[in-house]
């Protein structure tokens, strides 16, 4: 506007915000639009008499914007023949329209929005980029093709039944495909006019494209080198080695491990119990060995769905091959938990206390001699057998934590690929205007000191950390609550089972 010739100004007056927005296309405005002021190019300074002529306009709002040859800007606003003080902000409207983040998730006015939010909303409503919307719709079709194979089959009433739903929740692959299906349904039902939806859909599509390319690369290497037989043989060899290691470990625990004096009869009973399960596990490996190669060859086709699907299947294989370690951990944890809770209950008995389940508090109670004698006898038995059970519990818990560490490493890789906003980061690295989002106000220096303040409003690129937080996937549910170290240590001490990869619903 400042580079054009003199003419009329067209725009909008937002009274609640005390804001006057002058349109960029003031010269091309239609004849039906009413002007809100004039713009003048001053070759030389006008006399005060000529400047005061604008007071004769009897309008609610009238603007007289002037720019001289030195670039100094002056502006007078007349409201019902009364001159108002104002500030002038010069900006480029296209920066507001191009940015995904300024008009992030709202198309209507809200009470908490500021001047920048108001400008972004008004300018974005004027120019809704139809070409961008059409492109995103095509990307959405690509997303449908890439990850709706398994997720679509699991989206039915039969798969939502209790037993099948539990099986799906225990499988990392099925759970991952269900989340992908839900992600697509949320994307399809979202408002594509919102910048948040548009950017989220672009990130999802580019992420799926990269995920599929990586998965097909792994699949090509797998088929080209014929790795299914070799990998199956390595897995079976590793499983037998783990079984032999567990056999020697249990045998060591049946003696005097680290010089500890345990209950001989009890440790032999527990040792033979676990050795029998190891024998059953070796029989399971004999049945699994002939078909494992075919299963791995078929599972490599999951590369079409992406590298994340292959990693989830690898996680399921790890769970399947360490099932005996999980069973040992559950057996030991349940017995240890029973002993800890029983000892705490008998300790309350000696103090004359009882736990009130209805009121969730300790109440005082009087016990007779027979109750105290029986409680003392049981407390003594549990206390002296606790070291034996605790030793088995500690050993198998450590083995279980090693397996869970491997689970968590694979899960972290999958989650990183799923939530990484690849489209946003690529556009940010290429310095595209769509990834701008921070606001920079600077004061424009004018030669004359008597003129009003003039500011320059620029939309600049945001830091990468802020970009990652703003580009979170809007189609996924909030991440599950993290397993805190305090909760993990408390569960281990009290013998409660830990399920970091399966969501447990509490009544």
């Amino acid at each position: 506007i400042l580079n054009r010739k003199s003419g009329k100004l067209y725009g909008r007056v937002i009274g609640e915000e005390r804001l006057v927005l002058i349109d960029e296309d003031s010269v091309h405005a239609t004849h039906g639009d009413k002007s809100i002021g004039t713009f003048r190019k001053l070759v030389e300074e006008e006399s005060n008499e000529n400047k005061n002529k604008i007071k004769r306009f009897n309008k609610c709002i009238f603007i007289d914007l002037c720019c001289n040859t030195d670039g100094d800007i002056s502006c007078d606003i007349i409201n019902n023949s009364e001159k108002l003080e104002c500030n002038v902000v010069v900006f480029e409207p296209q920066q507001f329209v191009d940015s995904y983040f300024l008009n992030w998730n709202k198309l209507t006015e809200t009470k908490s929005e500021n001047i920048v939010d108001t400008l972004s909303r008004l300018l974005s409503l004027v120019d809704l980029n139809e070409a961008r919307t059409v492109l995103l719709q095509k990307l959405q079709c690509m997303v449908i093709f890439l990850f709706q194979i398994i997720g679509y089959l699991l989206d039915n009433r039969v798969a939502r039944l209790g037993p099948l739903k539990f099986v799906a929740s225990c499988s990392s692959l099925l759970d991952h495909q269900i989340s992908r299906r839900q992600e697509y349904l949320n994307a399809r039902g979202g408002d594509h006019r919102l910048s948040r939806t548009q950017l989220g859909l672009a990130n999802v599509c580019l992420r799926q494209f990269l995920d599929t390319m990586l998965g097909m690369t792994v699949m090509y290497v797998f088929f080209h080198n014929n790795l299914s037989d070799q990998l199956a043989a390595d897995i079976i060899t590793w499983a037998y080695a783990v079984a032999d290691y567990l056999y020697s470990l249990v045998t060591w625990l049946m003696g005097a491990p680290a010089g500890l004096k345990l209950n001989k009869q009890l440790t032999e009973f527990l040792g033979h119990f676990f050795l029998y399960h190891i024998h059953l596990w070796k029989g399971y490996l004999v049945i699994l060995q002939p078909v494992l190669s075919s299963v791995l060859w078929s599972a490599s086709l999951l590369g079409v769905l992406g590298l994340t699907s292959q990693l989830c299947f690898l996680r399921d294989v790890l769970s399947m091959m360490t099932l005996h370690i999980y069973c040992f951990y559950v057996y030991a944890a349940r017995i240890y938990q029973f002993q800890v809770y029983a000892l705490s209950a008998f300790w309350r008995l000696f103090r004359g206390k009882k736990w009130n389940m209805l009121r969730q508090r300790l109440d005082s109670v009087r016990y007779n001699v027979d109750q105290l004698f029986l409680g003392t006898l049981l407390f003594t038995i549990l206390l002296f057998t606790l070291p034996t059970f605790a030793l088995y519990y500690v050993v198998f818990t450590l083995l279980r934590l090693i397996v869970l560490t491997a689970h968590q490493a694979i899960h972290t890789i999958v989650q990183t690929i799923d939530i990484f906003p690849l489209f946003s980061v690529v556009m940010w690295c290429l310095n595209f205007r769509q990834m701008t989002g921070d606001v920079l106000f600077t004061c424009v220096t004018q030669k004359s000191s008597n003129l009003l303040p003039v500011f320059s409003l620029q939309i600049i690129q945001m830091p990468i950390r802020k970009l990652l937080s703003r580009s979170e996937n809007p189609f996924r549910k909030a991440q599950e609550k993290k397993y805190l170290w305090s909760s993990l240590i408390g569960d281990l001490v009290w013998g409660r089972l830990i399920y970091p990869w399966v969501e447990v619903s509490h009544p």
Side-chain angles (χ1 to χ4, degrees), residues 396-407:
F396 292 130
T397 300
L398 291 177
L399 293 176
R400 181 60 183 163
L401 289 177
I402 293 175
V403 175
L404 291 182
T405 302
H407 272 280

Side-chain angles (χ1 to χ4, degrees), residues 458-481:
Q458 297 179 358
I459 310 302
I460 61 175
Q461 200 174 54
M462 62 177 64
I464 184 64
R465 181 174 297 181
K466 186 176 181 181
L467 175 75
L468 295 177
S469 63
R470 293 290 300 275
S471 301
E472 291 181 353
N473 194 338
F475 311 125
R476 280 184 174 266
K477 295 181 180 179
Q479 293 185 354
E480 64 270 11
K481 189 177 180 180

Side-chain angles (χ1 to χ4, degrees), residues 135-148 184 201-210 212-213 304:
L135 175 62
L136 292 174
Q137 290 177 352
K138 293 181 180 179
L139 292 175
Q140 183 179 2
C141 295
M142 184 182 70
V143 172
I144 297 174
F145 173 75
L146 289 176
F147 64 85
Q148 288 303 296
Y184 161 69
L201 188 55
N203 281 320
V204 167
C205 292
L206 190 58
R207 176 214 66 193
Q208 183 64 40
F209 176 75
L210 177 64
T212 302
M213 290 297 101
V304 178

Side-chain angles (χ1 to χ4, degrees), residues 176 180 183 199-211 214 308 411-429 435 464-476 479:
H176 181 261
R180 285 284 179 93
E183 182 183 60
L199 182 61
L201 188 55
N203 281 320
V204 167
C205 292
L206 190 58
R207 176 214 66 193
Q208 183 64 40
F209 176 75
L210 177 64
D211 191 15
L214 293 176
T308 54
H411 178 71
T412 302
I413 298 174
V414 173
Q415 285 293 104
T416 302
I417 297 176
D418 279 344
I419 67 176
F420 187 73
L422 183 61
F423 177 79
S424 300
V425 173
V426 171
M427 296 281 283
W428 184 86
C429 294
M435 293 300 109
I464 184 64
R465 181 174 297 181
K466 186 176 181 181
L467 175 75
L468 295 177
S469 63
R470 293 290 300 275
S471 301
E472 291 181 353
N473 194 338
F475 311 125
R476 280 184 174 266
Q479 293 185 354

Side-chain angles (χ1 to χ4, degrees), residues 84-338:
L84 305 177
E85 295 182 359
C86 67
N87 295 322
V88 176
V89 180
V90 182
F91 63 93
E92 184 180 351
Q94 194 61 34
Q95 290 184 345
F96 286 86
V97 177
D98 291 340
S99 177
Y100 278 111
F101 300 103
L102 291 180
N103 190 29
W104 184 230
N105 56 1
K106 57 180 180 293
L107 293 173
T108 58
E109 183 179 0
T110 58
K111 295 181 180 180
S112 60
E113 68 178 9
N114 52 33
I115 298 298
V116 177
D117 293 334
T118 303
L119 285 176
S120 176
R121 177 174 53 82
L122 295 176
L123 292 172
S124 298
L125 287 176
V126 172
D127 185 10
L128 290 175
N129 199 326
E130 296 182 0
R132 182 190 297 173
T133 305
V134 173
L135 175 62
L136 292 174
Q137 290 177 352
K138 293 181 180 179
L139 292 175
Q140 183 179 2
C141 295
M142 184 182 70
V143 172
I144 297 174
F145 173 75
L146 289 176
F147 64 85
Q148 288 303 296
I149 300 176
I150 297 180
Y152 181 79
L153 297 176
L154 296 174
D155 188 18
N156 54 71
R157 294 183 178 180
V158 177
R160 297 192 192 100
L161 296 177
L164 296 179
K165 185 177 180 180
F166 175 76
V167 172
S169 64
C170 293
S171 172
S172 299
L173 176 61
L174 298 182
D175 186 66
H176 181 261
Q177 292 302 313
I178 291 174
S179 65
R180 285 284 179 93
R181 170 68 177 176
Q182 189 61 41
E183 182 183 60
Y184 161 69
L185 294 177
N186 294 335
R188 188 180 64 178
D191 190 351
H192 290 262
R193 297 178 301 166
L194 296 177
S195 298
R196 179 181 178 87
T197 305
Q198 295 175 7
L199 182 61
L201 188 55
N203 281 320
V204 167
C205 292
L206 190 58
R207 176 214 66 193
Q208 183 64 40
F209 176 75
L210 177 64
D211 191 15
T212 302
M213 290 297 101
L214 293 176
M216 295 187 69
T217 302
V218 174
M219 183 175 64
Y220 171 77
V221 173
F222 197 84
F223 287 156
H224 185 265
N225 298 318
N226 195 18
L227 297 178
S228 58
D229 295 336
Q230 180 181 353
L231 185 60
D234 292 341
I235 291 176
I236 293 297
T237 302
W238 174 79
Y240 274 110
V242 171
D244 293 337
Y245 170 76
L246 287 177
Y247 188 91
S248 61
L249 179 63
V250 173
T251 304
W252 177 69
L253 292 176
M254 292 172 62
L260 297 177
K261 185 175 178 61
L262 304 178
N263 188 308
K264 183 178 180 180
Q265 290 75 17
L266 180 59
T267 188
E268 287 183 355
F269 169 77
L270 293 176
H272 286 97
F273 175 78
F274 290 121
L275 290 178
Y276 176 72
H277 280 75
I278 294 175
H279 176 72
L280 293 179
W281 174 252
K282 289 185 176 181
Y284 166 73
L285 292 179
V286 172
I287 299 175
L288 183 64
Q289 186 172 359
V291 298
L292 184 59
S293 177
S294 301
V295 171
L296 292 178
W297 186 91
S298 303
S300 62
L301 298 175
L302 293 171
V304 178
L305 300 179
L307 178 64
T308 54
S309 298
Q310 293 174 326
L311 290 176
C312 289
F313 178 77
L314 177 62
R315 197 178 175 196
D316 289 337
V317 171
L318 181 62
S319 299
M320 180 179 62
M321 302 308 295
T322 57
L323 181 62
H324 52 316
I325 296 179
Y326 173 74
C327 293
F328 293 167
Y329 162 71
V330 171
Y331 299 152
R334 289 303 188 192
I335 298 175
Y336 173 78
Q337 183 185 25
F338 168 75

Side-chain angles (χ1 to χ4, degrees), residues 40-55:
R40 294 182 290 163
K41 277 282 189 178
L42 302 180
V43 180
E44 57 184 8
E45 292 188 1
E46 293 184 341
S47 61
N48 292 330
E49 181 178 354
N50 292 334
K51 285 185 178 182
N52 293 333
K53 288 182 180 179
I54 59 175
K55 292 185 178 182

Side-chain angles (χ1 to χ4, degrees), residues 51-59 62 78 81:
K51 285 185 178 182
N52 293 333
K53 288 182 180 179
I54 59 175
K55 292 185 178 182
R56 69 187 182 196
F57 292 93
N58 190 18
K59 295 184 177 181
F62 186 83
I78 308 301
S81 300

